[in-house]
Amino acid sequence: MILCVPGPPALLPGALSTEAPRGMRAGTVPPTPCLQTTPPIWDPAKDLKAIATNFCYLENSGWYWGAITAAQAHAALQEASEGAFLVRDSSHPMYMLTLSVRTARGPTSIRIQYSGAQFLLDSSSPARPSLSSFPSVPCLVQHYMGPERKAEEGKVEVESPSKPSQQTIQEPSVVLKLKRAVYKPQGLPSLQHLTRLVINRHSDCPDQLPLPRPLLRYIQDYPFKV
């Protein structure tokens, strides 16, 4: 398998916004550690593994919609309940992915920043130093669905869409609480995957369950609850 990876991802200080980066796909590799606190050094091998693993997970998730526009994502979320979300490719050349979510104010999108084999929400708000980073986007999503997220992470700043020639108008912060994944119509999860999710949700150590090895490997290929 040949994997094409762009140059080193740039670190942008922009606020949580309406668009995120376009990504790559690849095979399975072990995830990397969490919580990045200092600007990392570009490591092609490490980043290749992290990005490949992330897109493998996303392809299995059912709520990764790929290369759709912000308008298409927002249309898919328009009639959904608050907290419904999906992940898509970014139309911004310096980001890979965007989290689109239905908030109390309606559908909006937040860039996902990639830095040092870690993913985090992109923000220019005062809460930015408190935002956690994760080895994959499913890890990030699972964090914002759970009660373990920090109180200061509950509110995020969002930017209104703007043309390149216009100055972005910043909106007040919104409460971010992910509740329900919106599955891609053409990629609904299989019964096996849904069973895997149930096992993951009801067991903290699924790898220790008395199950056949092929089933244990299948569960380990997607160790998330969402």
Side-chain angles (χ1 to χ4, degrees), residues 65 68 70-80 84 86 107 180 182-183 185:
W65 288 51
I68 63 170
Q72 289 172 320
H74 292 182
L77 295 168
Q78 187 62 51
E79 302 303 322
L86 59 88
R180 179 179 65 85
V182 177
Y183 292 113

Side-chain angles (χ1 to χ4, degrees), residues 5-6 11 16 21 50 73 79 83 85 89 91 103 116 122 126 140-141 200 203 216:
V5 183
L11 305 180
L16 296 176
E79 302 303 322
F85 68 91
D89 290 346
S91 62
T103 69
D122 184 42
L140 181 152
V141 166
N200 288 339
S203 175
L216 287 175

Side-chain angles (χ1 to χ4, degrees), residues 200-223:
N200 288 339
R201 287 168 185 167
H202 291 83
S203 175
D204 293 330
C205 302
D207 57 329
Q208 297 180 13
L209 295 175
L211 299 172
R213 286 186 179 181
L215 182 53
L216 287 175
R217 284 195 296 269
Y218 179 72
I219 294 174
Q220 291 166 359
D221 285 343
Y222 190 85

Side-chain angles (χ1 to χ4, degrees), residues 32-36 47 50 113-120 133-135:
T32 48
C34 279
L35 222 54
Q36 187 72 43
D47 287 292
Q113 182 179 333
Y114 175 80
S115 175
Q118 298 284 296
F119 296 86
L120 68 155
S133 56
F134 306 87

